[in-house]
Amino acid sequence: MGPLKPVVFSDFDGTITQEETFVGILRKFAPEKSRELIPRMYDLTLSLKEGVRILLESVESRHYPEMLEIMKNAPIRDGFNEILDYLDSRKTPLIIVTGGLEDFARIALRPMLGKIHSIFGLRVNTDGPRLSVISEWASDTELVSKPLILETVGKSVSANPPVLIGDSVTDLEAALSCPVVFARDRLARYLQERGKPFLPFENFFDVRQSFSEMFPVES
Ligand SMILES: [Mg+2]
């Protein structure tokens, strides 16, 4: 067997961004429905598939430019630019899988897009009075099925093994079947409750450190 060629899949909101940017935007532009539905998605009594669609499709399309403007200034977690350089130098692809909108990730990360392999998530159509969701990666339970993306895209990019970085409920299904998981915040608690091992992190310097120890580059 040759050297391991990992592929890194990272969540976006609350993982690459310092805060839960997507949830923040939903709360701002769909306040009533957010109050009702977001707690139910967190306690896992409402599926992400239903919840995220209802929330996004209750937002008026005229707000979309304003949403993008907010994302332009989303604070990025420490060490992200540095880990991109590190992964780039060892030819390890970083793929973003977001349970939110691809556009939000693209605009927030526009200076670094050249170092990101690809971005998968939701798209929206803004032609009607309200946003309408376009999801190419839905499963029975999720609008964006991260396990499906990990399997499909992971195979096309490299043989193995996938590494997942995440912070919350949208990462849970994928994390449970992923051999190496970096987790913080809610995801860390969900995994602890389920007895699934993970590496804790607070910033991307932590991730780079553990990653370089787990997957040393052959010299
Ligand atoms: Mg997240």
Side-chain angles (χ1 to χ4, degrees), residues 11-15 20 99 146 166-171:
D11 172 50
F12 176 67
D13 293 283
T15 298
E20 256 298 349
K146 294 192 185 185
D167 77 307
S168 192
V169 60
T170 63
D171 309 302

Side-chain angles (χ1 to χ4, degrees), residues 103-144:
D103 278 354
F104 288 2
R106 266 194 207 100
I107 198 156
L109 300 174
R110 67 208 173 289
M112 312 165 204
L113 285 180
K115 292 181 277 188
I116 294 166
H117 181 279
S118 41
I119 300 177
F120 295 92
L122 295 173
R123 289 182 293 118
V124 286
N125 184 318
T126 58
D127 292 344
R130 287 171 196 277
L131 300 181
S132 104
V133 172
I134 304 160
S135 171
E136 286 167 24
W137 298 95
S139 69
D140 290 344
T141 51
E142 300 189 294
L143 261 187
V144 178

